[in-house]
């Protein structure tokens, strides 16, 4: 089992920045790709970004490319999401996720999930 604990998030004005963190514990030796998804009210949970264990592969959703940056610190078993130039449409609950293999964009590919953290961007 892998446990994921998220931190960060909150309320920010459009154009502002936020940083999310997600720390893994438990069977972290089995951790491969780490990812961020988000779910807005009334919408499906969607892929935001992912990162391979080495950090060499970092796919992003088109809607966040150039504004969000995913990174990880393997020594601390932690993944980060730096979100810049935030827009009201970025408002959602953000979830981190982990899988044992390489990055994937499909939600069903991820085995473990964080508790979610609210990000609200005001216009």
């Amino acid at each position: 089992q892998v446990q994921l604990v998220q931190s960060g998030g909150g309320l920010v004005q459009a154009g502002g920045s936020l940083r999310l963190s997600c720390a893994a514990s438990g069977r972290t030796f089995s951790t491969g790709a780490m990812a961020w998804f988000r779910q807005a009210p009334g919408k499906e949970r969607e892929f935001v970004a992912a990162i391979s264990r080495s950090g060499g592969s970092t796919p992003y959703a088109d809607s966040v490319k150039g504004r969000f940056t995913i990174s990880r610190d393997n020594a601390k078993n932690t993944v980060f999401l730096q979100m810049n130039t935030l827009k009201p449409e970025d408002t959602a609950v953000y979830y981190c996720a982990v899988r044992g293999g390489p990055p994937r964009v499909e939600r069903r590919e991820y085995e473990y999930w964080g508790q979610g953290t609210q990000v609200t961007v005001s216009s």
Side-chain angles (χ1 to χ4, degrees):
Q1 292 288 332
V2 176
Q3 295 78 42
L4 301 174
V5 177
Q6 299 179 217
S7 58
L11 173 64
V12 66
Q13 288 188 331
S17 298
L18 284 173
R19 190 191 198 206
L20 305 181
S21 300
C22 173
S25 61
R27 294 172 60 89
T28 55
F29 63 85
S30 65
T31 299
M34 303 183 82
W36 291 95
F37 288 75
R38 67 187 181 185
Q39 187 167 16
K43 295 188 176 182
E44 294 288 321
R45 192 172 300 186
E46 64 176 6
F47 172 79
V48 174
I51 186 167
S52 61
R53 185 169 183 81
S54 69
S57 176
T58 53
Y60 290 92
D62 288 344
S63 58
V64 307
K65 279 181 183 176
R67 300 189 299 120
F68 290 11
T69 301
I70 189 170
S71 61
R72 66 190 289 170
D73 182 337
N74 288 336
K76 297 181 179 179
N77 297 309
T78 300
V79 64
F80 306 97
L81 186 68
Q82 178 66 43
M83 304 182 292
N84 298 329
T85 319
L86 281 160
K87 305 175 180 180
E89 51 264 44
D90 294 318
T91 295
V93 177
Y94 283 70
Y95 297 89
C96 65
V98 164
R99 69 186 304 269
R104 292 286 186 270
V105 302
E106 299 87 357
R107 172 184 170 185
R108 65 180 183 272
E109 296 287 346
Y110 289 82
E111 300 155 311
Y112 303 102
W113 292 84
Q115 80 276 20
T117 187
Q118 178 70 45
V119 170
T120 303
V121 184
S122 63
S123 57

